[in-house]
Amino acid sequence: MRTIEVCLTPDLIHQHELDGKIVVVVDIFRATSCIVTGLANGVVAIKPVGEVDEAKALGKAGYLMAGERGGIKLPEFDMGNSPFEYQKDSVKGKKIAISTTNGSQAIIKSENAKEIIIGAFLNIESVANYLLQSKANVVIHCAGWKGTPNLEDTLFAGALIDECAEEMETAGDSALVAHQLYIANHENLFGIAKQSSHAERLSGFGIEEDLEFCMTENEYQVVPKLVDGEIVS
């Protein structure tokens, strides 16, 4: 039986063997929710970069610059980190360079995987179907918060495990913890997620609408995938 494991933070990814596996990167609040939303709404490609200067260089090459530090939009960027910005007509047909506190790092640190796909509650069923049709073992790579685990990404990991439970078995206690967390809270996902420390930080910016949208399940059918350094659908 194939396995599905969970890395709770990018600081622990070195403990996971990625070769030959599919990595699902998740940053619910809000980077991967933005990526899924953008590609479902006509964005051509999204390039994750670690440093602001890299995003600026791509901006000069015609990319829109998007991202944040500490949840706050960088003043020189075209966009912040709200999924609603990725629904605007102005992003259709464009490429976006994205640099965020946590999500970009998780994508970059997954580079040794067979495949890297992007997960969110917004596309969880489509991601699960993709994984079930594949023949590879899976690592769910949670972006967390500055090297520590967070509640909302762990909830997603547990939800994805639940979707795949008939054909995949959990490997390691992190996967078991995530699955049990989801089972205990599956009827009130937003209620528990908004108690997370990350949600509390972001709520100070008046973006509860963002957070609620990010916990919406199966809004889109896209499965974003990293191809030659850019995320496409």
Side-chain angles (χ1 to χ4, degrees):
M1 199 172 193
R2 286 181 293 147
T3 60
I4 186 165
E5 58 193 285
V6 175
C7 177
L8 294 173
T9 161
D11 282 9
L12 299 175
I13 195 63
H14 64 279
Q15 298 180 357
H16 297 263
E17 176 56 57
L18 304 185
D19 188 46
K21 297 177 182 177
I22 298 174
V23 169
V24 181
V25 175
V26 55
D27 183 1
I28 295 298
F29 296 155
R30 295 166 286 168
T32 62
S33 297
C34 287
I35 291 168
V36 169
T37 299
L39 291 173
N41 283 278
V43 173
V44 173
I46 298 175
K47 186 173 182 64
V49 296
E51 302 299 329
V52 173
D53 286 346
E54 294 177 78
K56 289 180 178 179
L58 289 166
K60 292 178 181 178
Y63 286 69
L64 294 176
M65 297 181 293
E68 50 70 40
R69 287 297 183 271
I72 301 173
K73 174 183 172 292
L74 294 168
E76 62 267 50
F77 278 19
D78 302 296
M79 304 163 60
N81 200 32
S82 167
F84 296 113
E85 294 180 272
Y86 286 75
Q87 295 176 354
K88 295 179 179 179
D89 288 342
S90 57
V91 305
K92 292 181 179 179
K94 300 293 181 65
K95 290 188 173 185
I96 298 174
I98 184 171
S99 181
T100 67
T101 306
N102 305 294
S104 297
Q105 300 300 325
I107 296 168
I108 292 165
K109 289 186 176 182
S110 300
E111 62 184 0
N112 293 328
K114 174 186 176 183
E115 292 181 39
I116 299 171
I117 64 174
I118 304 301
F121 282 107
L122 295 166
N123 71 334
I124 189 169
E125 184 176 357
S126 295
V127 169
N129 289 338
Y130 183 89
L131 298 177
L132 291 171
Q133 291 168 15
S134 74
K135 297 181 179 180
N137 295 324
V138 175
V139 178
I140 305 170
H141 188 176
C142 300
W145 172 257
K146 294 186 176 181
T148 62
N150 69 24
L151 185 61
E152 63 275 10
D153 293 352
T154 308
L155 276 172
F156 170 86
L160 186 57
I161 288 168
D162 201 69
E163 292 270 356
C164 299
E166 289 189 8
E167 296 187 31
M168 295 184 186
E169 61 184 5
T170 57
D173 285 358
S174 295
L176 182 61
V177 167
H179 195 200
Q180 291 301 316
L181 178 69
Y182 169 74
I183 290 170
N185 296 282
H186 71 279
E187 294 182 349
N188 187 28
L189 288 177
F190 180 57
I192 188 67
K194 70 180 181 180
Q195 296 178 38
S196 72
S197 58
H198 198 179
E200 289 180 0
R201 278 187 293 270
L202 293 172
S203 65
F205 306 134
I207 58 167
E208 183 161 335
E209 187 180 12
D210 275 19
L211 305 186
E212 186 169 8
F213 180 75
C214 290
M215 297 302 295
T216 303
E217 295 181 76
N218 301 317
E219 184 76 10
Y220 304 119
Q221 282 80 52
V222 297
V223 181
K225 182 176 179 180
L226 189 70
V227 177
D228 296 329
E230 293 190 333
I231 302 165
V232 296
S233 60

